[in-house]
Amino acid sequence: MAEAGTPGVAYGLRGVVVDDTRICKIFGEEGRLYYYGYNILELAERCSYEEVVHLLLKGRLPNKSELAQVIKDIKGARGLPYGVRDVIKSAPKTSIPMDVLRTAASALALTDPDPKDDTDEGRYRKAIRLIAQFPEIVAMDYRVRRGEEPVAPHDDLGHAANFLYMLHGTEPGKDAARTMDVALVLHAEHSFNASTFTARVIAATLSDMYSAVAGAVGALKGPLHGGANEGVIKTLLEIGEPANIKPWLEKKMQDKSFRLMGFGHAVYKTLDPRAIVLKKYSKKTGEERGTTKWYEMSEQIEQMMKGREKPLYPNVDFYSASTYYMMGLPPEIYTPIFAVSRVVGWAAHVIEQITHNKLIRPAANYIGEVDKPFVAMEAR
Ligand SMILES: CC(C)(COP(=O)(O)OP(=O)(O)OC[C@H]1O[C@@H](n2cnc3c(N)ncnc32)[C@H](O)[C@@H]1OP(=O)(O)O)[C@@H](O)C(=O)NCCC(=O)NCCS
């Protein structure tokens, strides 16, 4: 019988190649990331989220008229159905926003006018519907739990600016809108990560896009995945002051099982390129808001972790946390914001999976017993 820890077992599937993909490539040793061949640093600097939606769903950057069409499609798919509104309104105020998002994503399937439509057009329509409605779900939940009226989408605003508008009820300034847009571009896609793989596993059974996306939201929620950004700001707030960083870190890092949120990565063995961009925005947002404390503390933590015998580097969640915090956003919606962006990546992978599908069914290393003598009830 095999033992736990058997050589040859790919624990956590690290390094196991399970499929072909054209969507995204990560060079983990060098810290490079590409969406359909385009470097993320260039996309973050030069693209809007809507352009990235087109890139990920259609496989190429849009020209002017294609971009106008995708913007029109997203705007046309705005407006939460009453059933989904009811789900959000009926959630207890104590509920976790990611649980509300997962439930609402599932409820979107009930109001799809043609849930069984599995044509190319049908898949695109469902993807756009999810992309358009995720920010509305997050914003409505955010406001309702504060006792505020939901804010209807603003026809003249793009995806990122409209999201901030629906959260705060006022039109965001140019800087805030651009910062959110960049954050959405950076979080949109990341190859076969845990939530995307979840979506692909579900899609591979020939289930539907809503099931795949609802499952992906559940996977993203975990603190080892998208939940880390909320953990980062909690860590910064707990540390409180720059003077506390060193003793706090030294004490925590003594515990081998402790995980500093926003550091380390299953694929990157160096700085995550998304963290490079978000670091700039954390600094910039801090300067605009007149408080760079959280940025400076983050930067000090980065230096200390880099200087260890076994260096650890920030991932995407590290600098997004201080950026959002300085934008006046509360920690409990940081992971939902991640989902608002990543939903396009999930949809792209669902489409890719089902266009060359094979049911995903790995094998396991059985470490239990066999042929045990059956024991009758009276003898147990
Ligand atoms: C993302 C993560 C799960 C990847 O983990 P992984 O590839 O399985 O790496 P491991 O957990 O095996 O860690 C490898 C080593 O680095 C250490 N390590 C990795 N990330 C760490 C972290 N955030 N804090 C402390 N130590 C960490 C581990 O203790 C381990 O050390 P060891 O070799 O002495 O045992 C892990 O880095 C982590 O938990 N990070 C914090 C959560 C987070 O930010 N998640 C968002 C990812 S985008």
Side-chain angles (χ1 to χ4, degrees), residues 19-104:
D19 210 337
D20 303 320
T21 184
R22 289 181 189 280
I23 302 173
C24 178
K25 173 69 187 165
I26 306 167
F27 291 93
E29 297 293 333
E30 302 144 46
R32 288 189 288 136
L33 166 63
Y34 296 85
Y35 297 173
Y36 270 105
Y38 295 100
N39 192 311
I40 191 64
L41 299 178
E42 207 168 1
L43 292 175
E45 197 178 314
R46 302 178 65 175
C47 269
S48 65
Y49 182 72
E50 287 91 330
E51 283 173 89
V52 169
V53 166
H54 190 282
L55 175 65
L56 293 174
L57 295 182
K58 304 270 187 181
R60 57 176 202 285
L61 283 171
N63 60 30
K64 270 191 185 161
S65 67
E66 288 169 331
L67 178 61
Q69 186 61 49
V70 84
I71 290 172
K72 193 170 162 215
D73 293 342
I74 294 173
K75 287 188 178 170
R78 287 175 177 171
L80 282 180
Y82 284 109
V84 180
R85 290 171 166 268
D86 290 344
V87 165
I88 300 168
K89 280 189 198 152
S90 62
K93 298 260 187 301
T94 51
S95 59
I96 297 166
M98 281 298 276
D99 292 342
V100 175
L101 178 60
R102 191 190 57 239
T103 310

Coordinates of all heavy atoms in Angstrom, one line a residue, residues 19-104:
D19 N -3.7 20.7 -19.8 CA -4.4 21.1 -21.1 C -3.5 22.1 -21.9 O -2.6 22.6 -21.4 CB -5.7 21.7 -20.8 CG -6.8 21.4 -21.9 OD1 -6.3 21.1 -23.0 OD2 -8.0 21.4 -21.6
D20 N -4.0 22.3 -23.1 CA -3.4 23.4 -23.9 C -4.2 24.7 -23.7 O -5.4 24.6 -23.4 CB -3.5 23.1 -25.4 CG -2.8 21.8 -25.7 OD1 -1.7 21.5 -25.2 OD2 -3.3 21.0 -26.6
T21 N -3.6 25.8 -23.8 CA -4.3 27.1 -23.7 C -3.6 28.1 -24.5 O -2.4 28.1 -24.6 CB -4.5 27.5 -22.2 OG1 -5.3 28.7 -22.2 CG2 -3.2 27.8 -21.5
R22 N -4.4 29.0 -25.0 CA -3.8 30.2 -25.7 C -4.0 31.5 -24.9 O -3.6 32.6 -25.4 CB -4.5 30.4 -27.1 CG -4.2 29.3 -28.1 CD -4.9 29.6 -29.4 NE -4.8 28.4 -30.3 CZ -3.7 28.2 -31.0 NH1 -2.7 29.0 -31.0 NH2 -3.6 27.1 -31.7
I23 N -4.8 31.4 -23.8 CA -5.2 32.6 -23.2 C -4.2 33.4 -22.4 O -4.1 34.6 -22.5 CB -6.4 32.3 -22.2 CG1 -7.5 31.6 -23.0 CG2 -7.0 33.5 -21.5 CD1 -8.7 31.0 -22.2
C24 N -3.3 32.6 -21.7 CA -2.4 33.3 -20.7 C -1.2 32.5 -20.5 O -1.2 31.3 -20.5 CB -3.2 33.5 -19.4 SG -2.3 34.2 -18.1
K25 N -0.1 33.2 -20.4 CA 1.2 32.6 -20.1 C 1.9 33.3 -19.0 O 2.0 34.5 -19.0 CB 2.1 32.6 -21.4 CG 3.5 32.1 -21.1 CD 3.6 30.6 -20.8 CE 5.0 30.1 -20.4 NZ 5.0 28.8 -19.8
I26 N 2.4 32.5 -18.0 CA 3.1 33.1 -16.9 C 4.5 32.5 -16.9 O 4.7 31.3 -17.0 CB 2.5 32.7 -15.5 CG1 1.0 33.0 -15.4 CG2 3.3 33.3 -14.3 CD1 0.3 32.4 -14.2
F27 N 5.6 33.4 -16.9 CA 6.9 32.9 -16.7 C 7.3 33.2 -15.3 O 7.6 34.3 -14.9 CB 7.9 33.7 -17.7 CG 7.7 33.3 -19.1 CD1 6.8 34.1 -19.9 CD2 8.3 32.2 -19.7 CE1 6.6 33.8 -21.3 CE2 8.1 31.9 -21.0 CZ 7.3 32.7 -21.8
G28 N 7.1 32.1 -14.5 CA 7.2 32.3 -13.0 C 8.6 32.6 -12.5 O 8.7 33.4 -11.5
E29 N 9.7 32.1 -13.2 CA 11.0 32.4 -12.7 C 11.4 33.9 -13.0 O 12.1 34.5 -12.2 CB 12.0 31.5 -13.4 CG 11.9 30.0 -13.1 CD 12.2 29.7 -11.7 OE1 13.0 30.4 -11.0 OE2 11.6 28.7 -11.2
E30 N 10.9 34.4 -14.1 CA 11.3 35.8 -14.5 C 10.2 36.8 -14.1 O 10.5 38.0 -14.3 CB 11.4 35.8 -16.0 CG 12.4 34.8 -16.6 CD 12.0 34.2 -17.9 OE1 11.6 35.0 -18.8 OE2 12.1 33.0 -18.1
G31 N 9.1 36.4 -13.7 CA 8.0 37.3 -13.3 C 7.4 38.1 -14.5 O 7.3 39.3 -14.5
R32 N 7.1 37.3 -15.5 CA 6.4 37.9 -16.7 C 5.1 37.2 -16.9 O 4.9 36.0 -16.7 CB 7.3 37.7 -18.0 CG 8.5 38.6 -17.9 CD 9.2 38.6 -19.3 NE 9.9 37.3 -19.5 CZ 9.9 36.7 -20.7 NH1 9.2 37.2 -21.7 NH2 10.5 35.6 -20.8
L33 N 4.1 38.1 -17.4 CA 2.7 37.6 -17.6 C 2.2 38.1 -18.9 O 2.4 39.3 -19.2 CB 1.9 38.1 -16.4 CG 0.4 38.0 -16.5 CD1 -0.1 36.5 -16.6 CD2 -0.3 38.6 -15.2
Y34 N 1.5 37.3 -19.6 CA 1.0 37.7 -20.9 C -0.5 37.2 -21.0 O -0.8 36.1 -20.7 CB 1.8 36.9 -22.1 CG 3.2 37.4 -22.1 CD1 4.1 36.8 -21.3 CD2 3.6 38.4 -23.0 CE1 5.5 37.2 -21.4 CE2 4.9 38.8 -23.0 CZ 5.8 38.2 -22.2 OH 7.1 38.6 -22.2
Y35 N -1.3 38.1 -21.6 CA -2.7 37.7 -22.0 C -2.6 37.6 -23.5 O -2.4 38.7 -24.2 CB -3.7 38.8 -21.6 CG -4.0 39.2 -20.2 CD1 -4.8 40.2 -19.9 CD2 -3.4 38.4 -19.1 CE1 -5.1 40.6 -18.6 CE2 -3.7 38.8 -17.8 CZ -4.5 39.9 -17.5 OH -4.8 40.2 -16.2
Y36 N -3.0 36.5 -24.1 CA -2.9 36.3 -25.5 C -1.7 36.9 -26.1 O -1.8 37.6 -27.2 CB -4.2 36.9 -26.2 CG -5.3 35.8 -26.3 CD1 -6.4 35.9 -25.4 CD2 -5.3 34.8 -27.2 CE1 -7.4 34.9 -25.5 CE2 -6.3 33.8 -27.2 CZ -7.3 33.9 -26.4 OH -8.3 32.9 -26.4
G37 N -0.6 36.7 -25.5 CA 0.7 37.2 -26.0 C 1.1 38.6 -25.7 O 2.2 39.0 -26.0
Y38 N 0.2 39.4 -25.1 CA 0.5 40.8 -24.8 C 1.0 40.9 -23.3 O 0.4 40.3 -22.4 CB -0.7 41.7 -25.0 CG -1.1 41.8 -26.4 CD1 -2.2 41.0 -26.8 CD2 -0.5 42.6 -27.3 CE1 -2.6 41.1 -28.2 CE2 -0.9 42.6 -28.6 CZ -2.0 41.9 -29.0 OH -2.3 41.9 -30.4
N39 N 2.2 41.6 -23.2 CA 2.7 41.7 -21.8 C 1.8 42.5 -20.9 O 1.3 43.6 -21.3 CB 4.1 42.4 -22.0 CG 4.9 42.4 -20.7 OD1 4.4 42.7 -19.6 ND2 6.1 42.0 -20.8
I40 N 1.6 42.0 -19.7 CA 0.6 42.7 -18.8 C 1.0 44.1 -18.5 O 0.2 45.0 -18.3 CB 0.5 41.8 -17.5 CG1 -0.7 42.3 -16.6 CG2 1.8 41.9 -16.6 CD1 -2.0 42.2 -17.2
L41 N 2.4 44.4 -18.5 CA 2.8 45.7 -18.1 C 2.3 46.7 -19.2 O 1.9 47.9 -18.9 CB 4.3 45.8 -18.0 CG 4.9 44.9 -16.9 CD1 6.5 45.0 -16.9 CD2 4.4 45.3 -15.5
E42 N 2.3 46.3 -20.4 CA 1.9 47.2 -21.5 C 0.3 47.3 -21.5 O -0.2 48.4 -21.7 CB 2.3 46.6 -22.9 CG 2.5 47.7 -23.9 CD 3.3 47.3 -25.1 OE1 3.7 46.1 -25.2 OE2 3.4 48.1 -26.0
L43 N -0.3 46.1 -21.2 CA -1.8 46.2 -21.2 C -2.3 47.1 -20.1 O -3.2 47.9 -20.2 CB -2.4 44.8 -21.0 CG -2.2 43.8 -22.1 CD1 -2.7 42.4 -21.7 CD2 -2.9 44.2 -23.4
A44 N -1.6 47.0 -18.9 CA -2.0 47.8 -17.8 C -1.8 49.3 -18.1 O -2.6 50.2 -17.6 CB -1.2 47.4 -16.5
E45 N -0.8 49.6 -18.8 CA -0.5 51.0 -19.1 C -1.4 51.6 -20.2 O -1.8 52.7 -20.2 CB 1.0 51.1 -19.5 CG 1.5 52.6 -19.4 CD 2.9 52.6 -19.8 OE1 3.7 51.8 -19.3 OE2 3.3 53.5 -20.6
R46 N -1.7 50.7 -21.2 CA -2.3 51.3 -22.4 C -3.8 50.9 -22.7 O -4.4 51.4 -23.6 CB -1.5 50.9 -23.6 CG -0.1 51.4 -23.4 CD 0.9 51.1 -24.5 NE 0.5 51.7 -25.8 CZ 1.2 51.6 -26.9 NH1 2.4 50.9 -26.8 NH2 0.9 52.1 -28.0
C47 N -4.3 49.9 -21.9 CA -5.6 49.3 -22.2 C -6.7 49.7 -21.2 O -6.3 49.8 -20.0 CB -5.5 47.8 -22.3 SG -5.2 47.2 -23.9
S48 N -7.9 49.6 -21.6 CA -9.0 49.7 -20.7 C -9.5 48.2 -20.4 O -9.1 47.3 -21.1 CB -10.2 50.5 -21.3 OG -10.7 49.7 -22.4
Y49 N -10.3 48.1 -19.3 CA -10.8 46.7 -19.0 C -11.6 46.2 -20.2 O -11.6 45.0 -20.5 CB -11.6 46.8 -17.7 CG -12.2 45.5 -17.3 CD1 -11.3 44.5 -16.8 CD2 -13.5 45.2 -17.4 CE1 -11.8 43.2 -16.4 CE2 -14.0 43.9 -17.0 CZ -13.2 43.0 -16.5 OH -13.7 41.7 -16.1
E50 N -12.4 47.1 -20.8 CA -13.3 46.7 -21.9 C -12.4 46.1 -23.1 O -12.8 45.1 -23.7 CB -14.1 47.8 -22.4 CG -15.3 48.2 -21.5 CD -14.9 49.3 -20.4 OE1 -13.7 49.4 -20.1 OE2 -15.8 50.0 -20.0
E51 N -11.2 46.7 -23.3 CA -10.4 46.2 -24.4 C -9.9 44.8 -24.0 O -9.8 43.9 -24.8 CB -9.2 47.1 -24.6 CG -9.5 48.3 -25.4 CD -8.2 49.2 -25.4 OE1 -7.4 49.1 -26.3 OE2 -8.1 50.1 -24.5
V52 N -9.6 44.6 -22.7 CA -9.1 43.3 -22.2 C -10.3 42.3 -22.3 O -10.0 41.1 -22.6 CB -8.5 43.4 -20.8 CG1 -8.3 42.1 -20.1 CG2 -7.2 44.2 -20.8
V53 N -11.5 42.7 -22.0 CA -12.6 41.8 -22.2 C -12.7 41.3 -23.6 O -12.8 40.1 -23.9 CB -14.0 42.5 -21.8 CG1 -15.2 41.7 -22.3 CG2 -14.1 42.8 -20.3
H54 N -12.5 42.1 -24.6 CA -12.5 41.7 -26.0 C -11.4 40.8 -26.3 O -11.5 39.7 -26.9 CB -12.5 42.9 -26.9 CG -12.7 42.6 -28.4 ND1 -11.7 42.0 -29.2 CD2 -13.8 42.7 -29.1 CE1 -12.2 41.8 -30.4 NE2 -13.5 42.2 -30.4
L55 N -10.2 41.2 -25.8 CA -9.0 40.3 -26.0 C -9.2 38.9 -25.4 O -8.9 37.9 -26.1 CB -7.8 41.0 -25.3 CG -6.5 40.2 -25.3 CD1 -5.9 40.1 -26.7 CD2 -5.4 40.9 -24.4
L56 N -9.7 38.8 -24.2 CA -9.8 37.5 -23.6 C -11.0 36.7 -24.2 O -10.9 35.5 -24.3 CB -10.0 37.7 -22.1 CG -8.8 38.2 -21.3 CD1 -9.1 38.5 -19.9 CD2 -7.6 37.3 -21.5
L57 N -12.1 37.3 -24.6 CA -13.2 36.6 -25.1 C -13.1 36.2 -26.6 O -13.6 35.2 -27.1 CB -14.5 37.3 -24.8 CG -14.9 37.4 -23.4 CD1 -16.3 38.1 -23.3 CD2 -15.0 36.1 -22.6
K58 N -12.4 37.2 -27.3 CA -12.3 37.0 -28.8 C -10.8 36.6 -29.2 O -10.6 36.3 -30.4 CB -12.7 38.2 -29.5 CG -14.1 38.7 -29.1 CD -15.1 38.1 -30.1 CE -16.5 38.8 -29.8 NZ -17.5 38.2 -30.6
G59 N -9.9 36.7 -28.3 CA -8.5 36.3 -28.7 C -7.7 37.4 -29.4 O -6.6 37.1 -29.8
R60 N -8.2 38.6 -29.6 CA -7.5 39.7 -30.2 C -7.9 41.0 -29.6 O -9.1 41.1 -29.2 CB -7.6 39.6 -31.7 CG -9.0 39.7 -32.2 CD -9.1 39.8 -33.7 NE -10.4 40.4 -34.0 CZ -11.6 39.8 -33.9 NH1 -11.6 38.5 -33.5 NH2 -12.7 40.4 -34.2
L61 N -7.0 42.0 -29.7 CA -7.3 43.3 -29.2 C -8.4 43.9 -30.2 O -8.3 43.6 -31.4 CB -6.1 44.2 -29.2 CG -5.1 44.0 -28.0 CD1 -3.9 44.8 -28.3 CD2 -5.8 44.4 -26.7
P62 N -9.3 44.6 -29.7 CA -10.4 45.2 -30.6 C -9.9 46.4 -31.4 O -9.1 47.1 -30.9 CB -11.5 45.6 -29.6 CG -10.7 46.0 -28.3 CD -9.6 45.0 -28.3
N63 N -10.4 46.5 -32.6 CA -10.2 47.8 -33.3 C -11.3 48.8 -32.7 O -12.1 48.4 -31.9 CB -10.3 47.7 -34.8 CG -11.6 47.1 -35.3 OD1 -12.6 47.3 -34.6 ND2 -11.6 46.4 -36.4
K64 N -11.4 50.0 -33.3 CA -12.3 51.0 -32.7 C -13.7 50.5 -32.7 O -14.4 50.7 -31.7 CB -12.2 52.3 -33.5 CG -11.1 53.2 -32.9 CD -11.2 54.6 -33.5 CE -10.1 55.5 -33.0 NZ -9.8 56.6 -33.8
S65 N -14.2 50.0 -33.8 CA -15.6 49.6 -33.9 C -15.9 48.4 -33.0 O -16.9 48.3 -32.4 CB -16.1 49.5 -35.3 OG -15.4 48.4 -35.9
E66 N -14.9 47.5 -32.9 CA -15.1 46.3 -32.1 C -15.2 46.7 -30.6 O -16.0 46.2 -29.8 CB -14.0 45.3 -32.3 CG -14.1 44.6 -33.6 CD -12.9 43.8 -34.0 OE1 -11.7 44.1 -33.5 OE2 -13.0 42.8 -34.7
L67 N -14.3 47.7 -30.3 CA -14.4 48.2 -28.9 C -15.7 48.9 -28.6 O -16.3 48.6 -27.5 CB -13.2 49.2 -28.6 CG -13.2 49.8 -27.2 CD1 -13.0 48.7 -26.1 CD2 -12.0 50.8 -27.1
A68 N -16.2 49.7 -29.5 CA -17.5 50.3 -29.4 C -18.6 49.3 -29.2 O -19.5 49.4 -28.3 CB -17.8 51.2 -30.6
Q69 N -18.5 48.2 -29.9 CA -19.5 47.1 -29.8 C -19.4 46.4 -28.5 O -20.5 46.2 -27.8 CB -19.3 46.1 -30.9 CG -20.3 45.0 -31.0 CD -21.7 45.6 -31.3 OE1 -21.9 46.4 -32.2 NE2 -22.7 45.2 -30.5
V70 N -18.2 46.1 -28.0 CA -18.1 45.4 -26.7 C -18.6 46.3 -25.5 O -19.3 45.9 -24.6 CB -16.7 44.8 -26.4 CG1 -15.7 45.8 -25.8 CG2 -16.8 43.6 -25.5
I71 N -18.3 47.6 -25.7 CA -18.8 48.6 -24.6 C -20.4 48.6 -24.7 O -21.0 48.5 -23.6 CB -18.2 50.0 -24.9 CG1 -16.7 50.0 -24.6 CG2 -19.0 51.0 -24.1 CD1 -16.0 51.2 -24.9
K72 N -20.9 48.6 -25.9 CA -22.3 48.6 -26.1 C -23.0 47.3 -25.5 O -24.0 47.3 -24.8 CB -22.7 48.7 -27.6 CG -24.1 49.0 -27.9 CD -24.2 49.4 -29.4 CE -25.7 49.3 -29.7 NZ -25.9 48.8 -31.1
D73 N -22.3 46.2 -25.8 CA -22.8 44.9 -25.3 C -22.8 44.9 -23.8 O -23.8 44.4 -23.2 CB -21.9 43.8 -25.8 CG -22.0 43.6 -27.3 OD1 -22.9 44.0 -27.9 OD2 -21.1 42.9 -27.9
I74 N -21.8 45.4 -23.1 CA -21.7 45.4 -21.7 C -22.8 46.3 -21.1 O -23.5 45.9 -20.2 CB -20.3 45.8 -21.1 CG1 -19.3 44.7 -21.5 CG2 -20.3 46.0 -19.6 CD1 -17.8 45.1 -21.2
K75 N -22.9 47.5 -21.7 CA -23.9 48.4 -21.2 C -25.3 47.9 -21.4 O -26.2 48.0 -20.5 CB -23.8 49.8 -21.9 CG -22.6 50.6 -21.4 CD -22.5 52.0 -21.9 CE -21.3 52.7 -21.3 NZ -21.0 54.0 -21.9
G76 N -25.5 47.2 -22.5 CA -26.8 46.6 -22.8 C -27.2 45.5 -21.9 O -28.3 45.1 -21.7
A77 N -26.2 44.9 -21.2 CA -26.4 43.7 -20.3 C -26.5 44.2 -18.9 O -26.6 43.3 -18.0 CB -25.3 42.7 -20.5
R78 N -26.4 45.5 -18.7 CA -26.6 46.0 -17.3 C -28.0 45.9 -16.8 O -28.9 45.8 -17.6 CB -26.1 47.4 -17.2 CG -24.6 47.6 -17.3 CD -24.3 49.1 -17.3 NE -22.8 49.4 -17.4 CZ -22.3 50.6 -17.6 NH1 -23.1 51.6 -17.8 NH2 -21.0 50.7 -17.5
G79 N -28.2 46.0 -15.5 CA -29.6 46.0 -15.0 C -29.8 44.6 -14.3 O -30.1 43.6 -15.0
L80 N -29.8 44.6 -13.0 CA -30.0 43.3 -12.3 C -31.4 42.9 -12.3 O -32.3 43.6 -12.0 CB -29.6 43.4 -10.8 CG -28.1 43.5 -10.5 CD1 -27.9 43.6 -9.0 CD2 -27.4 42.2 -10.9
P81 N -31.7 41.6 -12.7 CA -33.1 41.1 -12.6 C -33.6 41.1 -11.2 O -32.8 41.1 -10.2 CB -32.9 39.6 -13.1 CG -31.5 39.5 -13.6 CD -30.7 40.6 -13.1
Y82 N -34.9 41.2 -11.1 CA -35.5 41.4 -9.7 C -35.2 40.2 -8.8 O -34.9 40.4 -7.6 CB -37.1 41.5 -9.8 CG -37.4 42.9 -10.3 CD1 -37.9 43.2 -11.6 CD2 -37.2 44.0 -9.4 CE1 -38.2 44.5 -12.0 CE2 -37.4 45.3 -9.9 CZ -37.9 45.5 -11.1 OH -38.2 46.8 -11.6
G83 N -35.2 39.0 -9.4 CA -34.8 37.8 -8.6 C -33.5 37.9 -7.9 O -33.3 37.5 -6.8
V84 N -32.5 38.5 -8.7 CA -31.2 38.6 -8.1 C -31.1 39.7 -7.1 O -30.5 39.6 -6.0 CB -30.2 38.9 -9.3 CG1 -28.7 39.0 -8.7 CG2 -30.2 37.7 -10.3
R85 N -31.9 40.8 -7.4 CA -32.0 41.9 -6.4 C -32.5 41.3 -5.1 O -32.0 41.7 -4.0 CB -32.9 43.0 -6.9 CG -32.3 43.7 -8.0 CD -33.4 44.7 -8.6 NE -32.7 45.6 -9.4 CZ -32.2 46.8 -9.0 NH1 -32.5 47.2 -7.8 NH2 -31.5 47.5 -9.9
D86 N -33.5 40.5 -5.2 CA -34.2 39.9 -4.0 C -33.2 39.1 -3.2 O -33.1 39.1 -2.0 CB -35.4 39.1 -4.3 CG -36.5 39.9 -4.8 OD1 -36.5 41.1 -4.6 OD2 -37.5 39.4 -5.5
V87 N -32.3 38.3 -3.9 CA -31.3 37.5 -3.2 C -30.4 38.4 -2.4 O -30.1 38.1 -1.2 CB -30.5 36.7 -4.3 CG1 -29.2 36.1 -3.7 CG2 -31.3 35.6 -4.9
I88 N -30.0 39.5 -3.0 CA -29.0 40.4 -2.3 C -29.7 41.1 -1.1 O -29.2 41.1 0.0 CB -28.5 41.5 -3.3 CG1 -27.8 40.8 -4.5 CG2 -27.6 42.5 -2.6 CD1 -27.4 41.7 -5.6
K89 N -31.0 41.5 -1.4 CA -31.7 42.2 -0.3 C -32.0 41.3 0.9 O -32.0 41.8 2.0 CB -33.0 42.8 -0.8 CG -32.8 44.1 -1.6 CD -34.2 44.7 -1.9 CE -34.1 45.7 -3.0 NZ -35.3 45.8 -3.8
S90 N -32.2 40.0 0.6 CA -32.6 39.1 1.6 C -31.4 38.5 2.4 O -31.6 37.9 3.4 CB -33.5 38.0 1.1 OG -32.8 37.3 0.2
A91 N -30.2 38.8 1.9 CA -29.1 38.3 2.7 C -28.9 39.0 4.0 O -29.1 40.2 4.1 CB -27.8 38.5 1.8
P92 N -28.6 38.2 5.1 CA -28.5 38.9 6.4 C -27.3 39.9 6.3 O -26.3 39.6 5.6 CB -28.1 37.7 7.3 CG -28.4 36.5 6.6 CD -28.5 36.8 5.1
K93 N -27.4 40.9 7.1 CA -26.3 41.9 7.1 C -25.0 41.3 7.6 O -23.9 41.9 7.4 CB -26.7 43.1 8.1 CG -27.9 43.9 7.7 CD -27.6 45.2 7.0 CE -28.8 46.0 6.7 NZ -29.8 45.4 5.8
T94 N -25.1 40.2 8.3 CA -23.9 39.6 8.8 C -23.2 38.7 7.8 O -22.2 38.1 8.1 CB -24.2 38.7 10.1 OG1 -25.3 37.9 9.7 CG2 -24.6 39.5 11.3
S95 N -23.9 38.5 6.6 CA -23.3 37.5 5.7 C -22.0 38.1 5.0 O -21.7 39.3 5.1 CB -24.4 37.3 4.6 OG -24.7 38.5 3.9
I96 N -21.3 37.1 4.5 CA -20.0 37.5 3.9 C -20.2 37.9 2.4 O -20.9 37.2 1.7 CB -19.1 36.3 4.0 CG1 -18.8 35.9 5.5 CG2 -17.7 36.5 3.2 CD1 -18.2 34.6 5.7
P97 N -19.7 39.1 2.0 CA -20.0 39.5 0.6 C -19.7 38.5 -0.5 O -20.4 38.4 -1.4 CB -19.1 40.8 0.5 CG -19.0 41.3 1.9 CD -19.0 40.1 2.8
M98 N -18.6 37.7 -0.3 CA -18.3 36.7 -1.3 C -19.4 35.6 -1.4 O -19.6 35.0 -2.4 CB -16.9 36.1 -1.1 CG -15.8 36.9 -1.5 SD -15.8 37.2 -3.3 CE -14.9 35.8 -4.0
D99 N -20.0 35.4 -0.2 CA -21.1 34.4 -0.2 C -22.4 35.0 -1.0 O -23.1 34.2 -1.7 CB -21.5 34.0 1.2 CG -20.4 33.2 1.9 OD1 -19.6 32.7 1.2 OD2 -20.5 33.2 3.2
V100 N -22.6 36.3 -0.8 CA -23.7 36.9 -1.5 C -23.4 36.9 -3.0 O -24.3 36.5 -3.8 CB -23.9 38.4 -1.0 CG1 -24.9 39.1 -1.8 CG2 -24.3 38.4 0.5
L101 N -22.1 37.2 -3.4 CA -21.8 37.2 -4.8 C -21.9 35.8 -5.4 O -22.5 35.7 -6.5 CB -20.3 37.7 -5.0 CG -19.8 37.7 -6.4 CD1 -20.6 38.6 -7.3 CD2 -18.3 38.2 -6.5
R102 N -21.5 34.8 -4.7 CA -21.6 33.4 -5.2 C -23.1 33.0 -5.4 O -23.4 32.4 -6.4 CB -20.9 32.5 -4.3 CG -20.7 31.1 -4.8 CD -20.2 30.1 -3.7 NE -21.2 30.1 -2.6 CZ -20.9 30.4 -1.4 NH1 -19.7 30.8 -1.0 NH2 -21.9 30.4 -0.5
T103 N -23.9 33.4 -4.4 CA -25.3 33.0 -4.5 C -26.0 33.8 -5.6 O -26.8 33.3 -6.4 CB -26.0 33.3 -3.2 OG1 -25.2 32.8 -2.1 CG2 -27.4 32.8 -3.1
A104 N -25.6 35.1 -5.8 CA -26.2 35.9 -6.8 C -25.8 35.4 -8.2 O -26.6 35.4 -9.2 CB -25.9 37.4 -6.6

